[in-house]
């Protein structure tokens, strides 16, 4: 980018830059890092650049000043109701509609990513903390007005809702679903990112289906009660399984997220998790290798000895972009093999093959499936994420 566009300014934001802004700046190609939520800090930075001023010491903006990294306090956390409506009129959404969906197979190509809330009060140690640990949900009427505006003025037909935890307040989630039904929006919904398995009742699942939901992903991670506690997720597996059955009953496609390779986890413990993944009535699964990313409590817990003393190799691994810290029993090679075996067991089941066959309805979906299969079969480098 810098070679092609002389004088261009590069600004990084998101999970990794917020977790380690210094590393991004040390690359020598990143000019500014915004840590945390970006609207207020980015606006201040752009105002300074537009006016030809040296950026002031604004909260959230990290930069190199006189050859040294100048840190900044966290960006201010905005009230979600004080923020203006996103300026979709400044984008050519028709071009975005031509791209492959970043999430699950959409029912309509006229899909946008959409956020109704920020923040999650749960303390899962492997997760980022960009939006803080307090739930901040937009009022249902505000959410519905934005959806109706996008559907009416821009022809949006699918919303990929990527909240940290959409259903933290179940009654609010129900009000949004009822509003979609009452306003007759005629849209599709998918929840590929953040719903909490044990904050459902069957009424919410039913309303989500009636509002147009065709897919949701639920994060189980591990069936071990010990590791549920050690990573601070504290999910009750029986409640998660009950939710899966409700989702099945109401005809919503459901995916399960799982993790293997927690510090101190044995092969037998990991095997119990992947056996559950294969046997549960799920339509798709994702099995990730645990990665203690920078900016997460998991990394801090490991450095502080919460999972026992770390050897030098494991400490060095923590400084990698995708750190895989393993035990003697679960080396990266063992974890990768278990990950592949799990996918093979799951996706060769008759139910899974039928579900994949139903997705082969257009060229985009075919390419997506081919890429996924190739990545899981051909790639030999152990990776934490799918």
């Amino acid at each position: 980018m810098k070679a092609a566009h002389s004088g261009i300014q590069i600004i990084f934001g998101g999970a990794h830059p917020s977790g380690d802004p210094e590393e991004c700046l040390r690359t020598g190609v990143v000019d500014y890092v915004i840590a945390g939520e970006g609207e207020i800090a980015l606006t201040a930075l752009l105002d300074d650049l537009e006016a030809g001023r040296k950026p002031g010491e604004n909260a959230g903006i990290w930069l190199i000043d006189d050859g040294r990294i100048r840190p900044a306090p966290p960006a201010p956390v905005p009230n979600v109701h004080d923020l203006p409506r996103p300026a979709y009129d400044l984008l050519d959404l028709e071009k975005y509609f031509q791209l492959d969906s970043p999430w699950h197979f959409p029912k309509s190509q006229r899909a946008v990513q959409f956020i109704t809330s920020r923040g999650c009060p749960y303390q899962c140690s492997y997760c980022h903390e960009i939006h803080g640990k307090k739930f901040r949900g937009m009022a249902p009427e505000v959410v519905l007005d934005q959806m109706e505006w996008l559907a009416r003025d821009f022809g949006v037909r699918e919303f990929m809702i990527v909240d940290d935890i959409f259903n933290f307040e179940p009654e609010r989630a129900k009000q949004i679903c009822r509003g979609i039904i009452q306003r007759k929006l005629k849209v599709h919904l998918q929840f590929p990112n953040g719903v909490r398995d044990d904050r459902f009742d069957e009424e919410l699942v039913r309303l989500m289906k009636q509002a147009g939901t065709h897919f949701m992903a639920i994060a189980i991670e591990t069936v071990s009660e010990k590791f549920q506690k050690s990573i601070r997720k504290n999910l009750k597996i029986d409640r998660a399984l009950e939710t899966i059955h409700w989702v099945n009953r109401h005809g919503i496609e459901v995916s399960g997220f799982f993790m293997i390779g927690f510090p101190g986890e044995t092969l037998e413990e990991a095997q119990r998790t992947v056996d559950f993944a294969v046997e549960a009535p799920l339509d798709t699964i994702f099995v990730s290798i645990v990665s203690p990313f920078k900016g997460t409590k998991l990394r801090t817990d490991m450095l502080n000895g919460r999972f026992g003393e770390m050897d030098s190799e494991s400490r060095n691994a923590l400084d990698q972009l995708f750190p895989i810290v393993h035990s003697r029993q679960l080396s990266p090679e063992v974890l990768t093999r278990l990950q592949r075996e799990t996918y093979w067991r799951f996706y060769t089941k008759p139910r899974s093959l039928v579900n994949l066959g139903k997705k082969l309805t257009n060229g985009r979906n075919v390419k997506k499936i081919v890429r996924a299969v190739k990545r899981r079969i051909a790639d030999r480098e152990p990776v934490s994420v799918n």
Side-chain angles (χ1 to χ4, degrees):
M1 293 276 295
K2 290 233 174 189
H5 302 278
S6 177
I8 196 171
Q9 301 287 292
I10 294 182
I11 306 168
F12 267 25
H16 178 70
S18 297
D20 194 345
E22 295 180 72
E23 181 176 59
C24 296
L25 290 170
R26 283 197 297 267
T27 63
V29 295
V30 177
D31 298 288
Y32 306 98
V33 168
I34 292 181
E37 295 185 25
E39 289 96 335
I40 296 172
L42 179 60
T43 302
L45 174 58
L46 295 179
D47 285 344
D48 286 340
L49 295 178
E50 187 176 44
R53 297 188 299 264
K54 183 177 180 179
E57 296 187 15
N58 296 304
I61 303 172
W62 291 61
L63 66 148
I64 295 178
D65 189 6
D66 293 329
R68 301 173 62 183
I69 292 176
R70 192 178 83 188
V77 176
N79 182 320
V80 292
H81 291 108
D82 291 341
L83 295 172
R85 182 180 283 180
Y88 281 96
D89 55 297
L90 299 181
L91 302 176
D92 184 352
L93 277 182
E94 295 300 325
K95 289 185 177 180
Y96 283 87
F97 293 151
Q98 298 306 312
L99 301 175
D100 285 348
S101 165
W103 297 102
H104 189 67
F105 304 96
K107 291 283 188 181
S108 169
Q109 282 300 124
R110 303 186 69 82
V112 296
Q113 297 184 85
F114 192 79
I115 295 175
T116 79
S117 68
R118 300 185 189 187
C120 173
Y122 289 95
Q123 302 296 318
C124 305
S125 63
Y126 52 82
C127 194
H128 71 83
E129 296 188 13
I130 293 177
H131 302 301
K133 289 301 179 184
K134 181 179 179 182
F135 178 79
R136 293 174 290 137
M138 289 193 293
E141 287 301 310
V142 175
V143 173
L144 293 164
D145 286 347
Q146 284 199 21
M147 283 184 163
E148 190 168 17
W149 168 63
L150 285 166
R152 181 188 65 240
D153 291 5
F154 299 93
V156 171
R157 294 293 174 262
E158 179 153 346
F159 293 96
M160 300 175 283
I161 298 180
V162 291
D163 296 16
D164 284 339
I165 179 167
F166 171 76
N167 64 325
F168 177 68
E169 295 177 348
E171 188 52 43
R172 170 186 170 275
K174 292 176 184 179
Q175 288 178 32
I176 292 172
C177 293
R178 291 189 188 105
I180 292 171
I181 298 165
Q182 291 164 2
R183 297 190 187 203
K184 301 180 180 178
L185 293 187
K186 305 298 183 185
V187 294
H188 304 291
L189 304 177
Q190 60 168 283
F191 295 82
N193 182 46
V195 291
R196 175 86 182 188
D197 319 18
D198 52 8
R199 297 195 71 82
F200 278 101
D201 58 24
E202 190 169 5
E203 181 189 23
L204 176 55
V205 175
R206 176 177 56 80
L207 286 169
M208 290 173 72
K209 175 63 176 180
Q210 292 174 353
T213 301
H214 66 91
F215 172 82
M216 71 169 68
I218 60 174
I220 296 171
E221 318 306 11
T222 174
V223 299
S224 164
E225 185 177 347
K226 177 179 74 174
F227 287 107
Q228 283 285 341
K229 289 180 179 178
S230 68
I231 62 175
R232 301 182 176 88
K233 187 175 180 75
N234 296 313
L235 179 72
K236 300 300 182 185
I237 303 302
D238 57 339
R239 287 292 309 278
L241 194 55
E242 184 177 36
T243 296
I244 293 171
H245 286 301
W246 286 334
V247 172
N248 273 271
R249 185 179 303 160
H250 290 279
I252 299 174
E253 193 174 352
V254 59
S255 182
F257 292 168
F258 300 92
M259 302 169 75
I260 55 174
F262 290 104
E265 188 174 30
T266 66
L267 183 58
E268 290 74 22
E269 288 168 327
Q271 189 68 55
R272 283 198 292 273
T273 291
V274 299
D275 286 346
F276 177 93
V278 171
E279 295 162 8
L282 296 163
D283 297 293
T284 54
I285 61 170
F286 290 91
V287 180
S288 297
I289 297 174
V290 172
S291 188
F293 291 112
K294 294 178 181 180
T296 64
K297 286 189 177 73
L298 179 58
R299 186 175 189 273
T300 305
D301 284 346
M302 293 177 70
L303 287 170
N304 290 342
R306 179 180 172 90
F307 298 96
E309 289 299 315
M310 297 179 64
D311 57 29
S312 58
E313 182 183 359
S314 295
R315 283 186 173 272
N316 291 336
L318 282 176
D319 290 325
Q320 302 301 310
L321 182 60
F322 294 102
I324 297 177
V325 180
H326 57 88
S327 64
R328 290 180 180 176
Q329 287 198 56
L330 297 177
S331 66
E333 293 74 24
V334 169
L335 288 168
T336 300
R337 184 168 64 250
L338 181 58
Q339 185 186 47
R340 292 176 191 279
E341 289 172 355
T342 304
Y343 282 135
W344 182 259
R345 290 172 59 199
F346 183 87
Y347 285 104
T348 53
K349 294 193 306 181
R351 170 181 171 145
S352 302
L353 291 172
V354 169
N355 285 338
L356 282 178
K358 291 178 180 178
K359 299 292 183 296
L360 301 176
T361 55
N362 59 60
R364 283 195 180 94
N365 287 1
V366 172
K367 290 178 181 178
K368 200 167 190 173
I369 291 172
V370 169
R371 284 198 303 267
V373 172
K374 181 180 177 183
R375 186 165 62 245
R376 287 168 175 79
I377 293 176
D379 290 353
R380 295 301 169 192
E381 185 71 21
V383 292
S384 60
V385 292
N386 286 278

